[in-house]
Each structure stands twice: as structure tokens, then as C-alpha cells.
Amino acid sequence: MKKIYLSQPYAQKGFCIIYDCNISSKMNDFFRLYSCECVSKQEKSSKEYINVEIISSTQSYVISFQGTEVVTTTPIQTLQNIIYENTVFEANVMPLHAGAIEKNGAAFIFVAPTGSGKTTLVAYLSNEGYSYIDDDKTIIDMSTLRVLPNHSPIHLRTESLSILNSYGCNVKGKELCVEKIRRIVYTPKAIALSEVPIGGLFFITRSECTNNCESIATSEAVQMIMSSLLQYSSNSLETLKCAIKLAKNCKKLTFSDPRYVVKQINKESTLHE
């Protein structure tokens, strides 16, 4: 049996993935997807790790986790779901399902559900000279309201390449196909190396023809922030207090052209100078 230790930034616990040799090729793909978060036994920190065991059978795989077993033909997708649903972050941070970039020492956050264009937008902005923070998981320190550096690689859907190319953005990365998951994986050249204050938080919607940015009521913004958390927080009161503070600087942003988003970022940057 082999082991990979998955240690996510700002998570209370990691995952120790134990697997037999017959699944080594699939686990190599998993390692490429999570290369910056996977460590060997020799490199693992003192963080506590939760065991996930994968055993291959004739036509399927058995995944054991916390006393339950799941039989699946897509072990990597099942493993990703287990990690996503069971990651518990540190009590002092707010993990948002959002992408983020940095400009002039301030973070701009883009909140949206899966498939709404967060990664495509962040890839475009990173190509335009903005510093990359993350494309899907934005971590906020609740005591300082600063966005913490993360640096997970961008995982871009292949269908997004034509959109980016139409705006002169030529992405070069490695194409990975893991089971039914196909992604272009790469890390932008410019990344935010330290925590930064928040310059703006946008709830984004991709449109065919509309470009619009409007203010949002604080009460609605609080609800939308709370519904965008990557986990239910055990520190719920502090999380709510943080959401109320963040809600004062939120807007709804509908866009068909990413260049319109650049204009809005520049506008917000001017206001915060």
C-alpha cells in the first residue's frame, strides 16, 4: 500500500490517502491535480490527518472513510467529493467559494457557483497583469478582513480556451484528463505573495450581452456571502459578524465582456487609493 498526504492551506486537518498499487496511475493524475498540496511522508507536517483508503477490485473501487465504504467506478471524483465535503478550515478564517486577484495592494473577490465563469475571469485578469490569488477558494482572515495567499493552480475548463483566445489571452498549461474531468492546469506568472486587504467583493453573473454593476442591499449581501461558504462554520457567530462587515463593500456584477470587469476593478481601485 502507498500513501499520499494532502495538506490544504488553512485547514485544521489533512487527508492521508492510502491506496494499493493497482490504482497508482490514477493517483498520479490526482497528484497532478493537487500537486501543490500533496506531500510525502517525509515532508508531512505535524497536522493531524484523516485516513481515506482506496482498494481496487475487478471492475470498481472501494473507498473507506470514517467507518463508511463507497463502491465506485470513478475513484478520483469520489475522492474529490470526500475532500470537498469534509475539509474543516481553521476557526479564524472564512473560506469562500470565490476567485480572487490582487491589484495595487488590494484583493478583488468574485463570488459565484460552479460553472459561472469564475476561473475563466480570473485566468483573463491574471493574463492582463493582475496578481493571482485563487480561482475557486478564497480564504479571508476574519480578524483582519484580509485575503490570505493560497496559490493553488488554476484548473481551467477546456471550453474556456476559446473564450480567452477571443480576447487575446493565450493560456499555456498542461491538459489533464482524469476520468471525466478535463482541465488545463497552470499557475500564472504573477501571484500575490502576502495577505492583502479587500478592495471589492463582486457577486458575478456571466451574460450574453449585458455589462452592469450595481450596489446590493447589506441584508441580501450577507445572505449571499453565507450561502457561498465552503463549509458550515463551527464559529458561526464570528462568521456572521465577518459577513456583515464584508457586505458593506459588495456589488452585483453582470458581464459579457471581461474588459468591463477590468474597468470596474480600476474604478474600485481609484476609490480606495
Side-chain angles (χ1 to χ4, degrees):
M1 302 292 281
K2 296 183 178 181
K3 293 181 180 180
I4 288 179
Y5 294 89
L6 181 68
S7 179
Q8 300 181 86
Y10 316 111
Q12 292 184 12
K13 299 179 181 180
F15 294 88
C16 174
I17 303 161
I18 307 165
Y19 59 97
D20 64 41
C21 296
N22 294 326
I23 196 177
S24 291
S25 61
K26 283 185 173 290
M27 290 309 301
N28 287 337
D29 290 335
F30 176 84
F31 181 81
R32 284 192 286 269
L33 285 172
Y34 291 91
S35 58
C36 68
E37 298 175 350
C38 290
V39 296
S40 67
K41 180 179 180 181
Q42 289 76 26
E43 298 170 323
K44 82 183 187 77
S45 67
S46 58
K47 181 184 292 186
E48 182 181 347
Y49 286 81
I50 304 170
N51 288 342
V52 182
E53 185 172 300
I54 308 175
I55 298 176
S56 62
S57 59
T58 306
Q59 294 181 332
S60 61
Y61 302 85
V62 179
I63 300 182
S64 302
F65 174 71
Q66 293 187 331
T68 63
E69 289 188 350
V70 177
V71 179
T72 179
T73 57
T74 53
I76 303 305
Q77 291 182 57
T78 303
L79 180 57
Q80 285 184 302
N81 290 338
I82 289 173
I83 292 168
Y84 181 82
E85 294 169 2
N86 293 277
T87 297
V88 178
F89 290 90
E90 296 170 358
N92 65 314
V93 302
M94 171 186 279
L96 282 179
H97 190 190
I101 54 90
E102 179 266 332
K103 175 181 172 62
N104 295 336
F108 294 88
I109 303 170
F110 307 100
V111 183
T114 299
S116 299
K118 292 189 304 299
T119 297
T120 305
L121 177 60
V122 168
Y124 173 80
L125 294 171
S126 298
N127 190 72
E128 291 297 299
Y130 297 91
S131 296
Y132 172 69
I133 297 176
D134 203 88
D135 69 325
D136 194 60
K137 179 175 60 183
T138 298
I139 309 296
I140 299 171
D141 186 319
M142 293 195 293
S143 62
T144 63
L145 295 186
R146 287 175 172 261
V147 174
L148 302 175
N150 193 8
H151 308 157
S152 295
I154 287 181
H155 293 74
L156 188 69
R157 297 172 187 266
T158 53
E159 56 266 31
S160 297
L161 291 177
S162 59
I163 298 173
L164 293 170
N165 289 337
S166 69
Y167 291 102
C169 179
N170 297 312
V171 169
K172 294 182 179 180
K174 184 172 184 178
E175 183 174 348
L176 293 181
C177 183
V178 182
E179 295 167 356
K180 295 181 180 180
I181 305 169
R182 188 180 294 274
R183 295 288 186 270
I184 305 296
V185 181
Y186 72 102
T187 300
K189 294 180 180 180
I191 59 176
L193 298 175
S194 58
E195 60 183 52
V196 287
I198 298 171
L201 191 155
F202 301 94
F203 298 101
I204 64 169
T205 302
R206 185 69 191 258
S207 170
E208 291 294 327
C209 57
T210 301
N211 291 296
N212 183 57
C213 187
E214 59 185 7
S215 299
I216 179 173
T218 300
S219 58
E220 184 181 0
V222 170
Q223 292 178 358
M224 295 177 74
I225 290 170
M226 295 299 288
S227 65
S228 300
L229 295 175
L230 284 173
Q231 67 171 36
Y232 175 77
S233 175
S234 58
N235 196 4
S236 56
L237 179 58
E238 292 304 313
T239 302
L240 178 59
K241 288 180 179 179
C242 181
I244 292 172
K245 293 177 183 178
L246 293 175
K248 299 174 182 178
N249 195 26
C250 295
K251 292 184 178 179
K252 285 184 178 179
L253 176 60
T254 303
F255 71 98
S256 61
D257 189 333
R259 293 170 294 190
Y260 178 77
V261 179
V262 171
K263 292 180 180 179
Q264 294 304 312
I265 294 173
N266 291 339
K267 182 179 178 180
E268 293 294 322
S269 295
T270 301
L271 292 174
H272 290 86
E273 287 180 351

Short mmCIF file of all heavy atoms in Angstrom, two decimals, residues 36-76:
data_model
loop_
_atom_site.label_atom_id
_atom_site.label_comp_id
_atom_site.label_asym_id
_atom_site.label_seq_id
_atom_site.Cartn_x
_atom_site.Cartn_y
_atom_site.Cartn_z
N CYS A 36 0.42 21.03 -5.51
CA CYS A 36 0.98 21.96 -4.52
C CYS A 36 0.50 21.63 -3.11
O CYS A 36 0.99 22.23 -2.14
CB CYS A 36 0.60 23.40 -4.86
SG CYS A 36 -1.15 23.76 -4.67
N GLU A 37 -0.44 20.70 -2.96
CA GLU A 37 -0.98 20.37 -1.65
C GLU A 37 -0.65 18.96 -1.20
O GLU A 37 -0.93 18.57 -0.07
CB GLU A 37 -2.50 20.58 -1.65
CG GLU A 37 -2.90 22.02 -1.93
CD GLU A 37 -4.40 22.21 -2.06
OE1 GLU A 37 -5.12 21.20 -2.12
OE2 GLU A 37 -4.85 23.36 -2.11
N CYS A 38 -0.04 18.16 -2.08
CA CYS A 38 0.32 16.78 -1.74
C CYS A 38 1.77 16.72 -1.28
O CYS A 38 2.65 17.32 -1.90
CB CYS A 38 0.13 15.86 -2.95
SG CYS A 38 -1.59 15.59 -3.40
N VAL A 39 2.01 16.01 -0.22
CA VAL A 39 3.37 15.86 0.30
C VAL A 39 3.65 14.40 0.61
O VAL A 39 2.73 13.59 0.78
CB VAL A 39 3.59 16.70 1.58
CG1 VAL A 39 3.46 18.19 1.29
CG2 VAL A 39 2.59 16.30 2.67
N SER A 40 4.92 14.06 0.68
CA SER A 40 5.31 12.70 1.02
C SER A 40 5.33 12.53 2.54
O SER A 40 5.17 13.47 3.29
CB SER A 40 6.69 12.40 0.45
OG SER A 40 7.67 13.18 1.11
N LYS A 41 5.56 11.31 2.95
CA LYS A 41 5.62 11.01 4.39
C LYS A 41 6.72 11.82 5.07
O LYS A 41 6.56 12.32 6.18
CB LYS A 41 5.85 9.52 4.60
CG LYS A 41 5.92 9.10 6.06
CD LYS A 41 6.12 7.60 6.19
CE LYS A 41 6.20 7.18 7.66
NZ LYS A 41 6.40 5.72 7.81
N GLN A 42 7.85 11.96 4.37
CA GLN A 42 8.98 12.65 4.96
C GLN A 42 8.72 14.15 5.13
O GLN A 42 9.29 14.80 5.99
CB GLN A 42 10.23 12.46 4.08
CG GLN A 42 10.80 11.05 4.10
CD GLN A 42 9.96 10.08 3.27
OE1 GLN A 42 9.29 10.48 2.34
NE2 GLN A 42 10.03 8.79 3.62
N GLU A 43 7.85 14.71 4.28
CA GLU A 43 7.61 16.15 4.29
C GLU A 43 6.38 16.55 5.10
O GLU A 43 6.15 17.72 5.34
CB GLU A 43 7.43 16.66 2.86
CG GLU A 43 8.64 16.45 1.98
CD GLU A 43 8.34 16.73 0.53
OE1 GLU A 43 7.21 16.39 0.09
OE2 GLU A 43 9.20 17.27 -0.16
N LYS A 44 5.58 15.58 5.51
CA LYS A 44 4.31 15.93 6.14
C LYS A 44 4.54 16.65 7.47
O LYS A 44 5.49 16.38 8.19
CB LYS A 44 3.42 14.70 6.32
CG LYS A 44 3.70 13.82 7.53
CD LYS A 44 2.76 12.62 7.49
CE LYS A 44 2.88 11.78 8.77
NZ LYS A 44 2.19 12.40 9.88
N SER A 45 3.64 17.59 7.75
CA SER A 45 3.77 18.40 8.96
C SER A 45 3.18 17.68 10.16
O SER A 45 2.76 16.53 10.08
CB SER A 45 3.04 19.73 8.75
OG SER A 45 1.64 19.50 8.66
N SER A 46 3.13 18.38 11.28
CA SER A 46 2.56 17.80 12.50
C SER A 46 1.04 17.85 12.50
O SER A 46 0.40 17.43 13.47
CB SER A 46 3.10 18.56 13.72
OG SER A 46 2.79 19.94 13.63
N LYS A 47 0.45 18.34 11.43
CA LYS A 47 -1.01 18.41 11.31
C LYS A 47 -1.62 17.00 11.41
O LYS A 47 -1.04 16.02 10.95
CB LYS A 47 -1.40 19.04 9.98
CG LYS A 47 -2.89 19.18 9.73
CD LYS A 47 -3.18 19.72 8.34
CE LYS A 47 -2.74 21.15 8.18
NZ LYS A 47 -3.14 21.70 6.86
N GLU A 48 -2.79 16.91 12.02
CA GLU A 48 -3.49 15.62 12.10
C GLU A 48 -4.07 15.26 10.73
O GLU A 48 -4.56 16.13 10.01
CB GLU A 48 -4.62 15.70 13.13
CG GLU A 48 -5.37 14.39 13.33
CD GLU A 48 -6.48 14.50 14.34
OE1 GLU A 48 -6.53 15.52 15.08
OE2 GLU A 48 -7.32 13.59 14.40
N TYR A 49 -4.02 13.97 10.38
CA TYR A 49 -4.51 13.53 9.07
C TYR A 49 -5.61 12.49 9.24
O TYR A 49 -5.55 11.62 10.11
CB TYR A 49 -3.36 12.93 8.24
CG TYR A 49 -2.42 13.99 7.71
CD1 TYR A 49 -1.43 14.54 8.51
CD2 TYR A 49 -2.55 14.48 6.41
CE1 TYR A 49 -0.58 15.53 8.03
CE2 TYR A 49 -1.71 15.46 5.93
CZ TYR A 49 -0.72 15.98 6.74
OH TYR A 49 0.11 16.96 6.27
N ILE A 50 -6.62 12.59 8.38
CA ILE A 50 -7.75 11.65 8.36
C ILE A 50 -7.49 10.63 7.25
O ILE A 50 -7.20 11.00 6.11
CB ILE A 50 -9.07 12.39 8.09
CG1 ILE A 50 -9.28 13.51 9.11
CG2 ILE A 50 -10.24 11.42 8.10
CD1 ILE A 50 -10.45 14.43 8.76
N ASN A 51 -7.62 9.35 7.56
CA ASN A 51 -7.34 8.30 6.59
C ASN A 51 -8.49 8.11 5.60
O ASN A 51 -9.66 8.09 5.97
CB ASN A 51 -7.08 6.97 7.29
CG ASN A 51 -5.74 6.95 8.00
OD1 ASN A 51 -4.86 7.77 7.72
ND2 ASN A 51 -5.57 6.02 8.91
N VAL A 52 -8.11 8.00 4.33
CA VAL A 52 -9.03 7.59 3.26
C VAL A 52 -8.34 6.45 2.53
O VAL A 52 -7.24 6.62 2.01
CB VAL A 52 -9.34 8.74 2.28
CG1 VAL A 52 -10.35 8.27 1.24
CG2 VAL A 52 -9.84 9.97 3.01
N GLU A 53 -8.98 5.27 2.48
CA GLU A 53 -8.35 4.10 1.87
C GLU A 53 -9.07 3.72 0.58
O GLU A 53 -10.30 3.66 0.54
CB GLU A 53 -8.35 2.93 2.84
CG GLU A 53 -7.60 1.70 2.33
CD GLU A 53 -7.46 0.62 3.39
OE1 GLU A 53 -6.86 0.90 4.45
OE2 GLU A 53 -7.98 -0.49 3.15
N ILE A 54 -8.28 3.47 -0.47
CA ILE A 54 -8.85 3.09 -1.78
C ILE A 54 -8.27 1.73 -2.17
O ILE A 54 -7.05 1.56 -2.25
CB ILE A 54 -8.51 4.12 -2.86
CG1 ILE A 54 -8.89 5.54 -2.42
CG2 ILE A 54 -9.22 3.77 -4.17
CD1 ILE A 54 -8.47 6.61 -3.39
N ILE A 55 -9.17 0.79 -2.40
CA ILE A 55 -8.76 -0.56 -2.82
C ILE A 55 -9.46 -0.88 -4.13
O ILE A 55 -10.68 -0.70 -4.27
CB ILE A 55 -9.12 -1.60 -1.75
CG1 ILE A 55 -8.37 -1.29 -0.44
CG2 ILE A 55 -8.77 -3.01 -2.23
CD1 ILE A 55 -8.74 -2.21 0.71
N SER A 56 -8.69 -1.36 -5.09
CA SER A 56 -9.26 -1.71 -6.39
C SER A 56 -9.76 -3.14 -6.39
O SER A 56 -9.21 -4.03 -5.74
CB SER A 56 -8.21 -1.53 -7.49
OG SER A 56 -7.11 -2.39 -7.26
N SER A 57 -10.89 -3.36 -7.11
CA SER A 57 -11.39 -4.71 -7.34
C SER A 57 -11.46 -4.92 -8.85
O SER A 57 -10.87 -4.16 -9.61
CB SER A 57 -12.76 -4.89 -6.68
OG SER A 57 -13.69 -3.96 -7.19
N THR A 58 -12.19 -5.91 -9.28
CA THR A 58 -12.18 -6.27 -10.71
C THR A 58 -12.65 -5.13 -11.60
O THR A 58 -11.98 -4.73 -12.56
CB THR A 58 -13.04 -7.52 -10.96
OG1 THR A 58 -12.61 -8.56 -10.09
CG2 THR A 58 -12.91 -7.96 -12.42
N GLN A 59 -13.81 -4.56 -11.32
CA GLN A 59 -14.36 -3.52 -12.18
C GLN A 59 -14.72 -2.24 -11.42
O GLN A 59 -15.36 -1.36 -11.99
CB GLN A 59 -15.61 -4.05 -12.91
CG GLN A 59 -15.29 -5.18 -13.89
CD GLN A 59 -16.56 -5.66 -14.60
OE1 GLN A 59 -17.65 -5.58 -14.06
NE2 GLN A 59 -16.38 -6.17 -15.81
N SER A 60 -14.32 -2.16 -10.17
CA SER A 60 -14.69 -0.99 -9.38
C SER A 60 -13.65 -0.75 -8.29
O SER A 60 -12.62 -1.44 -8.22
CB SER A 60 -16.08 -1.18 -8.76
OG SER A 60 -16.09 -2.30 -7.89
N TYR A 61 -13.92 0.22 -7.45
CA TYR A 61 -13.01 0.59 -6.36
C TYR A 61 -13.83 0.76 -5.09
O TYR A 61 -14.96 1.24 -5.12
CB TYR A 61 -12.28 1.89 -6.68
CG TYR A 61 -11.49 1.83 -7.97
CD1 TYR A 61 -12.11 2.09 -9.19
CD2 TYR A 61 -10.14 1.51 -7.97
CE1 TYR A 61 -11.41 2.04 -10.38
CE2 TYR A 61 -9.42 1.45 -9.15
CZ TYR A 61 -10.06 1.72 -10.35
OH TYR A 61 -9.35 1.65 -11.53
N VAL A 62 -13.23 0.37 -3.97
CA VAL A 62 -13.88 0.53 -2.67
C VAL A 62 -13.12 1.61 -1.90
O VAL A 62 -11.91 1.49 -1.67
CB VAL A 62 -13.88 -0.78 -1.86
CG1 VAL A 62 -14.54 -0.56 -0.50
CG2 VAL A 62 -14.60 -1.88 -2.64
N ILE A 63 -13.83 2.67 -1.51
CA ILE A 63 -13.22 3.77 -0.76
C ILE A 63 -13.78 3.74 0.65
O ILE A 63 -14.99 3.81 0.87
CB ILE A 63 -13.52 5.12 -1.43
CG1 ILE A 63 -12.94 5.13 -2.85
CG2 ILE A 63 -12.93 6.27 -0.60
CD1 ILE A 63 -13.12 6.45 -3.59
N SER A 64 -12.88 3.62 1.63
CA SER A 64 -13.27 3.59 3.04
C SER A 64 -12.89 4.91 3.69
O SER A 64 -11.75 5.39 3.55
CB SER A 64 -12.56 2.44 3.77
OG SER A 64 -12.87 1.19 3.16
N PHE A 65 -13.86 5.50 4.41
CA PHE A 65 -13.63 6.80 5.05
C PHE A 65 -14.51 6.93 6.28
O PHE A 65 -15.73 6.85 6.21
CB PHE A 65 -13.95 7.92 4.05
CG PHE A 65 -13.90 9.30 4.64
CD1 PHE A 65 -12.68 9.87 4.99
CD2 PHE A 65 -15.06 10.03 4.85
CE1 PHE A 65 -12.63 11.14 5.54
CE2 PHE A 65 -15.02 11.30 5.40
CZ PHE A 65 -13.80 11.85 5.76
N GLN A 66 -13.87 7.08 7.43
CA GLN A 66 -14.56 7.28 8.70
C GLN A 66 -15.68 6.28 8.94
O GLN A 66 -16.82 6.64 9.27
CB GLN A 66 -15.07 8.72 8.79
CG GLN A 66 -13.95 9.75 8.86
CD GLN A 66 -14.46 11.15 9.13
OE1 GLN A 66 -15.57 11.52 8.76
NE2 GLN A 66 -13.62 11.96 9.78
N GLY A 67 -15.37 5.00 8.74
CA GLY A 67 -16.32 3.94 9.04
C GLY A 67 -17.33 3.63 7.96
O GLY A 67 -18.18 2.76 8.15
N THR A 68 -17.28 4.31 6.84
CA THR A 68 -18.21 4.03 5.74
C THR A 68 -17.43 3.57 4.51
O THR A 68 -16.25 3.90 4.35
CB THR A 68 -19.04 5.27 5.38
OG1 THR A 68 -18.16 6.31 4.91
CG2 THR A 68 -19.82 5.76 6.58
N GLU A 69 -18.09 2.80 3.66
CA GLU A 69 -17.48 2.33 2.42
C GLU A 69 -18.33 2.75 1.23
O GLU A 69 -19.56 2.69 1.28
CB GLU A 69 -17.33 0.81 2.43
CG GLU A 69 -16.27 0.29 3.38
CD GLU A 69 -16.02 -1.19 3.21
OE1 GLU A 69 -16.81 -1.85 2.49
OE2 GLU A 69 -15.04 -1.70 3.79
N VAL A 70 -17.66 3.18 0.18
CA VAL A 70 -18.33 3.57 -1.06
C VAL A 70 -17.73 2.76 -2.20
O VAL A 70 -16.50 2.71 -2.35
CB VAL A 70 -18.14 5.07 -1.35
CG1 VAL A 70 -18.80 5.45 -2.68
CG2 VAL A 70 -18.72 5.91 -0.22
N VAL A 71 -18.58 2.12 -2.99
CA VAL A 71 -18.14 1.39 -4.17
C VAL A 71 -18.37 2.28 -5.38
O VAL A 71 -19.47 2.79 -5.60
CB VAL A 71 -18.90 0.06 -4.32
CG1 VAL A 71 -18.44 -0.67 -5.58
CG2 VAL A 71 -18.71 -0.81 -3.09
N THR A 72 -17.33 2.49 -6.18
CA THR A 72 -17.43 3.44 -7.29
C THR A 72 -16.57 2.99 -8.47
O THR A 72 -15.60 2.25 -8.29
CB THR A 72 -16.99 4.84 -6.83
OG1 THR A 72 -17.07 5.75 -7.93
CG2 THR A 72 -15.56 4.83 -6.30
N THR A 73 -16.92 3.46 -9.65
CA THR A 73 -16.08 3.25 -10.84
C THR A 73 -15.26 4.49 -11.16
O THR A 73 -14.45 4.48 -12.08
CB THR A 73 -16.96 2.89 -12.06
OG1 THR A 73 -17.92 3.94 -12.27
CG2 THR A 73 -17.68 1.57 -11.84
N THR A 74 -15.50 5.57 -10.40
CA THR A 74 -14.77 6.83 -10.61
C THR A 74 -14.14 7.25 -9.27
O THR A 74 -14.63 8.15 -8.60
CB THR A 74 -15.70 7.93 -11.13
OG1 THR A 74 -16.84 8.04 -10.25
CG2 THR A 74 -16.19 7.61 -12.53
N PRO A 75 -13.05 6.60 -8.88
CA PRO A 75 -12.48 6.84 -7.55
C PRO A 75 -11.94 8.26 -7.34
O PRO A 75 -12.03 8.78 -6.23
CB PRO A 75 -11.36 5.80 -7.45
CG PRO A 75 -11.00 5.51 -8.87
CD PRO A 75 -12.27 5.59 -9.63
N ILE A 76 -11.40 8.88 -8.38
CA ILE A 76 -10.83 10.22 -8.20
C ILE A 76 -11.93 11.25 -7.96
O ILE A 76 -11.83 12.11 -7.07
CB ILE A 76 -9.96 10.62 -9.40
CG1 ILE A 76 -8.86 9.59 -9.62
CG2 ILE A 76 -9.36 12.01 -9.19
CD1 ILE A 76 -7.99 9.35 -8.41
#
